[in-house]
Amino acid sequence: MAGTQGNFKVSLTENPRYIDMDKCIACGLCAEKCPKKVDDEYNEGLGKRKAIYVPYSQAVPLKYAIDDTICLKLTKNRCGICEKTCPSGAINFADKAKEKTLNVGSIILAMGFESFDPSGIDSLGFGQHPDIVTSMGFERILSATGPFGGHLCLPSDKDHEKAPKKIAWLQCVGSRDENRCSNAYCSSVCCMYAVKQAVMAREHSHDPLDCAIFYMDMRTHGKDFDRYMEGAKKNGVRFIQSRVHSVVPSQDHQGIEMRFIDPDGTIQNENFDIVVLSTGLQISAACVDLANTMNIELDHGNFVKTDSFNPVSTSVPGIYACGVFTGPKDIPQSVMEASSAAAAATEYISSARHTLTKEIVIPEERDTEYELPKIGVFVCNCGTNIGGVIDVPDVVAYARTLPGVTYAEENLFTCSQDTQDKMAQVIKEKKLNRVVVAACSPKTHEPLFRQTLINAGLNKHLLEMANIRNHDSWVHASEPARATKKAKHLVRMAVSKSMLLNSLFETQLPVTQSALVVGGGIAGMTAALSLARQGFPVSLVEREQNLGGNARKLFHTYMDEDIPGQVKTMIHQVNDHPMIHTYLGAVIEHLDGFVGNFNTTLATPESKVTIDHGVAILATGAVEAKPDEYLYGKHDAVMTHLEFDGRLNKKDPMLDAAEDIAFIQCVGSREAAHPYCSKVCCTHSIHSAVEVKKRNPNANVYIFYRDIRTYGKRELIYKQARDMGILFFRYDLESKPRVTPSGTGVNIRILDHILKMPVSIDVDILCLASRIQARDNQSLAQAFKITCDSDGWMLEAHQKLRPVDFATDGVFLCGMAHYPKPIDESIAQAKAAASRAITTLARSSISVGGVVSRVNEQLCSGCQGCIEVCPYNAIQMDEKKHVVNINAALCKGCGACAAACPSEALTLEGFNNEQIYAQIKSAMGA
Amino acid sequence: MDMVKAAKELLLQDRVDIFLGYHKLDGHQIPHGFTKARVADLDQLEISLNRYPLEKIACDLAQKDPTLKIGILARDCSQRALNLLYTWDQLNPENIETLTVNCCPSSLSTHGDCSYLKPKTTGEYKKAHGIDYNDSPKDFMAEHDSQDRLSRWMYEFQKCIKCYGCRNVCPVCFCKECSLEHPNLVEPGVLPAEVPIFHLIRATHMAGRCIDCGLCEDACPAHIPLRMLYREVNDAVSDIFGYVPGDHIEKSPFSIIGKTVELTPAPMDV
Amino acid sequence: MTLKRIAFVQELLKFMGLEGRLHLEWISSAEAQKYVDVVTKFTEKIRNMGPNPLRAINEMKKAG
Amino acid sequence: MDCEFVPSVCSYCGTGCGVLFEVIDGRINRTLPLKSHPVNQGKLCIKGWNLHEYINSYMRLKGPLVRENGRLEKATWDEAVNQAARRFTRIKEEHGPDSIGVLVSAKITNEENYLAQKLTRAVIGTNNVDHCARL
């Protein structure tokens, strides 16, 4: 790599694949015939793969590759059988490595992690017994695409039949451990995945399965994670707080013996059938090398060094990083960071947007409205996938007899490029105006065949698919005759529906290329700045009279960065930016419109303002709950985190005078009424404790906790705190600390876990880790048509894969309105929201229509039953005509209205009643 | 008569443009729209033994002129029908005035031909093979087993001559196009009407709508006990959702998604 | 909405003497095993119940 | 707006069911069964229920039409009757009287029905005469 921000030159070496990607249609014949077998690294060595292989079943693109380290042809110039079997001639043994040079403006590193290899730790017995597996290995065992087809069995059993009765999980293998490895950090995700695996294993198992998780602290700090863990506990998953010191494969192969000290301090022996080592995440040597060649600074865990206010920036300008490479994290956080890195990477080079775009030329669409149906049926063999079970020529012959069918043919691989070209040719030649493809799932292949229709000058909605692979040949492989009959039924149904298909059209609506950001805290300001820096005007709305939100009341991040100073800088940047218009003391009064065309009315102290905007980002934050226990509000020595930080900021002499300071964790969190973890408090308390100890090394500092959740790199300050002599006491929800006034301070009594004796401590200051509480977002939720979960947090479109989107298009989410989170995560999510918003803003128009509902005004009697059932508020009443109309931009084509309408005045285009009745009739007849 | 006075007042004070009641013509008691121009006609106003769907007529008028103010002579069933039509936005309550005639459970049985007041007579053959008009759905369920219930209903349904009278007379059937005429749902040109789909479709569409006036049963030339069937429909809706159509102006459970799921799918019992 | 309608129709069919032939179950695309179980169980149930009595009636009708 | 009801008798078949026309502003809008009619006692068949439809139908025949060169053209009664008579005579001459059949309707009066059968038997010379509602 050479060059600087805005102008990098990157040289890449593309290793040979020995497969022509354009020709390979992933039929699998080559792998069937390949004689060379090796352990499959994707299945953690639990299964085998061939020398010619697809790395894993969901690989995109689904194309084969040859492993040149073991292929007989490439290593010894023998065999070559794949070349002979390949029906499409995709094998190319002469393939060579290719050098490429790219000229780019920004670089994003998303190189992920490797799972810790526990074979070096003898006491864990990995490698000594096949039933001791890593968590990755166990993940593969549970997976339907795994080595045992998703059947839970003992890896040691050759027949894969014997099911385990007891499984143990060992947490923190390769994490929080500087003795047996050098990974001092917490891997952050293992607690949650262990709980998930335990729950799933129990679901997979036919007999009752005993699952035990051996842990130090359960770190289920993510959204809804605690609820999931409590559910697992209730369903009988055992949680044992203990670090197992040895795992001994028993000699008689009667399972695996584990020796550990239970929470009471007694030594226990217990046998398990499978032991899962919850291995941590670490950065591979290759990644470290690459970072070094790029001069990127790493921390001592080999993660990219970032700061809380720039969570995706590396030490080299123009190079960004995301995912586990910047620190251990789970899927939603990685997805957020990925979008965030995309935003950061485009901020500097946004002027280049749209400069390298190429426009696709598509042939003019033929008008088929007045033509009689001429249906073409293309039946796919899919190699042996379909043809091996179903008598395809018979199905083709049958298709020819169906009414409306003027052409039918058989293809070896309908999805291959040459067949596609031929199909387009046939459509043109035979003047087909409806196309039925009997092949696989429309979910994966409909876009491809629609493209074929477009290329042939047909409307893409004139396509109908019959899934004779997934729904037929795969599930009825043992009954070829009946499968063939079913294929005929499916084809007949598709043909009768296709007869009634009509062209559907999409129209373009202009996009207002500006954004509304609700909330002027760190998240809102970050999102606004990111959008403005990329050239999009932003209206920033804040309910309070000043920007900054909760961050104004905070002191330092756990990495000792000065929060008020940074916030001040950020406020300046917002105020100075010409593209940002800030409305202080303003609330949203009314909202109209839809993605690309919102119209919002704000009530500001002076007047009412209406704003047109294309997208909206909600960053309304959260508040610190006021505790109602531990003498809070009744005694001056008792305070919350924010109040404590206020004193730190003001350098309150009370803090320096205090000799004994205590922190109580989980005040209001993780309880029946609020069963979630507030996520930031463990780190915050420990950081405050360290700060106190630094100012006054003689002070006694106590922390009362349930589980210490200093996830990821935060673990290091937990260690630092212990090294400094800060005392930690664990308590249970059933035996909470009792706080009574004692002079100017308070007295705390608690039952010590290990000693089984009451402990009494007098302290001068008691700091409560009070719960973070969601704001009342009811009216906002109503205006933006979004939902909040039972704890009040705004509900994202998908908890793992779409963590900043809402189900409503054009509205995005960031910061603590989503869930409690520290500053770095809020900023990452805010940038991610900006990035997601730009996917809409960067376009000048959006297309509307296609598969949406349509109203037949003649039939509508204006009863408005449909309005109530529409989940997207896409239907309005036209009072004048006494009929309803549908906003195609809001309609998602769910069809609820069509089902609700008593007179079939509403129909879902592409799935209208006529078409569905035709399919049903055709299914029932013959 | 008070009713005459009240109706005259409505017209003379311009509170209504037309008053729907009954009068006698050629020896028949039939509906009539009284107007201010011929207010003296109201002296002939009758309450009528025969019930006609006056609400449906009001809908016809409102469709022609949505601003028309209509007065109606309303029995209890009319009140329910009107509430339902308000709910479904077919009539505007602000444009409707009613003069009420209480008949349903009262002793004023001279005022109507309702089967609530004068139970219908069921023939012996019908009792043996079909369904007694006056049976309550609950008793019917209790007295007959599943097979018997099916055969009795099939006996009744197979008599259907598909006159669509039940729908045509129904005061709450307002759809412009009816599913019963949909060639994909009900095969056209076949008699008896597709059994039992024709009747099940209508029964399903009556869910949350039927206001139990019994006009359908009266209009049925095949003597199918429709009122009893739709009474079961109403019982089911009221048991499952606690909704009684026409009781209040509130939307039917079938037209509201609702915020929370209160039902659980019935388990499959083998 | 589906749940409401199905609950009602199940009740109506019971009244008609056609109970047990309609069943509603939520199965996500990830729950292959559940789908197989439910469909197998339901097919088995319907098979045990015997042919649809309406079919016999309609055939009689066709035959005159 | 005017709304009145006119009792009448269904003209479709010979049963003679009582019907009630809903007349809004002089236009028949709906048919209801006449509840107090002794014949049908408030019931109707599908034809009766839709009695009002043909009155307002745009397809309703309002005068004689004669097909010339494949197109229906307006004609006077004399032209139409003469044309029909000429064509019937020719058919009878070419194929014999039994090649003609007459179907009469319940929509015309009893007297007219009588005349129709008389015309069929006495003038055309065939017994091929029937009625749509042979009750």
Side-chain angles (χ1 to χ4, degrees), chain A residues 517 519-521 525 539-549 552 571 574-575 580-588 602-607 609 611:
Chain A
V517 177
M525 287 195 293
S539 307
L540 178 62
V541 183
E542 168 58 49
R543 179 203 296 258
E544 306 284 325
Q545 287 305 328
N546 36 33
L547 295 172
R552 282 185 297 125
I571 293 173
V574 167
N575 287 338
I580 302 178
H581 194 294
T582 308
Y583 298 90
L584 292 176
V587 287
I588 291 179
L602 292 181
T604 68
E606 298 82 39
S607 62
V609 188
I611 301 169

Side-chain angles (χ1 to χ4, degrees), chain B residues 198-215:
Chain B
F198 184 92
H199 296 276
L200 288 186
I201 291 175
R202 185 161 152 80
T204 312
H205 283 213
M206 277 295 111
R209 270 214 219 186
C210 176
I211 44 89
D212 191 23
C213 64
L215 285 176

Side-chain angles (χ1 to χ4, degrees), chain D residues 81 84-104 114-130:
Chain D
V81 172
R86 246 193 342 266
R87 300 269 289 270
F88 275 124
T89 314
R90 212 171 70 215
I91 292 168
K92 189 180 159 187
E93 278 165 5
E94 281 178 21
H95 305 282
D98 279 346
S99 61
I100 299 171
V102 172
L103 187 67
V104 285
Y114 173 80
L115 289 173
Q117 68 86 28
K118 194 78 180 168
L119 178 84
T120 317
R121 294 187 216 273
V123 181
I124 298 173
T126 175
N127 280 330
N128 291 345
V129 57
D130 210 342

Side-chain angles (χ1 to χ4, degrees), chain A residues 860-861 864 868-869 882 904, chain B residues 89-90 176-177 182 255 257:
Chain A
C860 176
S861 38
Q864 301 176 43
E868 302 281 340
V869 299
H882 203 72
E904 305 193 355
Chain B
D89 215 13
Q90 298 300 308
K176 286 187 189 156
E177 189 174 276
H182 199 299
S255 66
I257 283 194

Side-chain angles (χ1 to χ4, degrees), chain A residues 630 705-706 730-737 750-751 753:
Chain A
Y630 302 129
Y705 72 102
R706 286 169 59 193
R730 188 189 187 95
Y731 74 89
D732 273 343
L733 192 54
E734 296 77 41
S735 54
K736 284 187 177 180
I750 191 171
L751 188 77
H753 248 276

Side-chain angles (χ1 to χ4, degrees), chain A residues 214-231:
Chain A
F214 293 85
Y215 71 100
M216 301 207 290
D217 295 283
M218 277 316 288
R219 293 190 170 167
T220 46
H221 47 267
K223 193 171 183 175
D224 274 343
F225 288 8
D226 256 328
R227 219 182 233 116
Y228 191 85
M229 179 180 72
E230 292 302 327

Side-chain angles (χ1 to χ4, degrees), chain A residues 645-701:
Chain A
D645 271 25
R647 285 173 200 258
L648 280 173
N649 272 334
K650 279 188 291 185
K651 298 202 165 48
D652 191 330
M654 177 187 178
L655 296 181
D656 294 326
E659 284 173 5
D660 298 277
I661 296 182
F663 295 84
I664 296 180
Q665 298 305 106
C666 297
V667 180
S669 306
R670 300 181 65 198
E671 291 186 357
H674 304 284
Y676 61 89
C677 166
S678 293
K679 199 174 184 182
V680 299
C681 350
C682 284
T683 313
H684 197 278
S685 292
I686 293 174
H687 185 258
S688 304
V690 168
E691 181 68 23
V692 167
K693 199 79 177 167
K694 273 186 195 159
R695 291 184 186 198
N696 180 7
N698 294 325
N700 298 313
V701 185

Side-chain angles (χ1 to χ4, degrees), chain A residues 133-422:
Chain A
V133 295
T134 64
S135 46
M136 278 291 192
F138 194 71
E139 195 78 18
R140 297 312 304 148
I141 291 177
L142 289 180
S143 170
T145 61
F148 314 133
H151 177 59
L152 181 59
C153 63
L154 293 175
S156 59
D157 181 32
K158 287 278 169 291
D159 303 324
H160 306 316
E161 272 171 3
K162 224 166 130 192
K165 297 215 162 48
K166 286 179 82 178
I167 306 181
W169 277 261
L170 266 52
Q171 298 308 104
C172 299
V173 175
S175 311
R176 302 179 70 184
D177 190 348
E178 284 183 299
N179 301 326
R180 298 184 291 186
C181 66
S182 56
N183 296 344
Y185 55 83
C186 157
S187 287
S188 197
V189 299
C190 328
C191 285
M192 195 55 202
Y193 76 57
V195 180
K196 178 203 77 174
Q197 288 185 346
V199 169
M200 283 182 64
R202 286 169 62 87
E203 279 172 7
H204 273 241
S205 177
H206 294 295
D207 306 316
L209 182 68
D210 180 12
C211 293
I213 297 177
F214 293 85
Y215 71 100
M216 301 207 290
D217 295 283
M218 277 316 288
R219 293 190 170 167
T220 46
H221 47 267
K223 193 171 183 175
D224 274 343
F225 288 8
D226 256 328
R227 219 182 233 116
Y228 191 85
M229 179 180 72
E230 292 302 327
K233 255 185 212 168
K234 212 187 268 166
N235 282 322
V237 175
R238 289 191 290 148
F239 290 81
I240 302 157
Q241 202 209 4
S242 171
R243 192 149 193 172
V244 176
H245 57 74
S246 54
V247 178
V248 190
S250 57
Q251 296 310 312
D252 51 356
H253 281 278
Q254 290 300 305
I256 301 147
E257 191 184 322
M258 300 223 314
R259 221 164 288 159
F260 59 95
I261 298 171
D262 75 4
D264 298 330
T266 45
I267 294 177
Q268 301 275 3
N269 282 329
E270 196 172 342
N271 276 34
F272 287 91
D273 299 326
I274 293 180
V275 171
V276 183
L277 306 178
S278 293
T279 48
L281 320 180
Q282 66 184 19
I283 302 304
S284 70
C287 294
V288 175
D289 285 348
L290 185 69
N292 288 339
T293 54
M294 288 179 154
N295 281 324
I296 289 167
E297 210 179 317
L298 301 181
D299 65 16
H300 59 266
N302 283 336
F303 298 105
V304 172
K305 206 164 178 184
T306 56
D307 70 73
S308 297
F309 291 87
N310 297 290
V312 292
S313 301
T314 68
S315 56
V316 181
I319 304 184
Y320 307 89
C322 60
V324 177
F325 199 22
T326 67
K329 57 180 64 76
D330 59 358
I331 294 170
Q333 192 59 31
S334 296
V335 173
M336 276 179 219
E337 275 196 6
S339 290
S340 178
T346 44
E347 273 177 29
Y348 187 79
I349 54 170
S350 66
S351 58
R353 177 170 285 130
H354 295 317
T355 53
L356 293 171
T357 326
K358 274 186 210 157
E359 200 154 320
I360 305 166
V361 188
I362 49 167
E364 204 186 329
E365 199 171 296
R366 203 174 93 213
D367 182 11
T368 57
E369 200 184 336
Y370 299 107
E371 293 177 10
L372 284 172
K374 288 177 111 179
I375 306 170
V377 182
F378 298 85
V379 187
C380 186
N381 262 304
C382 199
T384 52
N385 261 316
I386 294 170
V389 178
I390 293 167
D391 183 352
V392 173
D394 190 21
V395 176
V396 173
Y398 176 74
R400 288 205 182 98
T401 66
L402 293 170
V405 175
T406 54
Y407 182 81
E409 70 167 30
E410 171 183 355
N411 303 114
L412 189 53
F413 290 104
T414 314
C415 57
S416 69
Q417 191 52 52
D418 51 329
T419 313
Q420 293 289 292
D421 297 341
K422 211 183 100 203

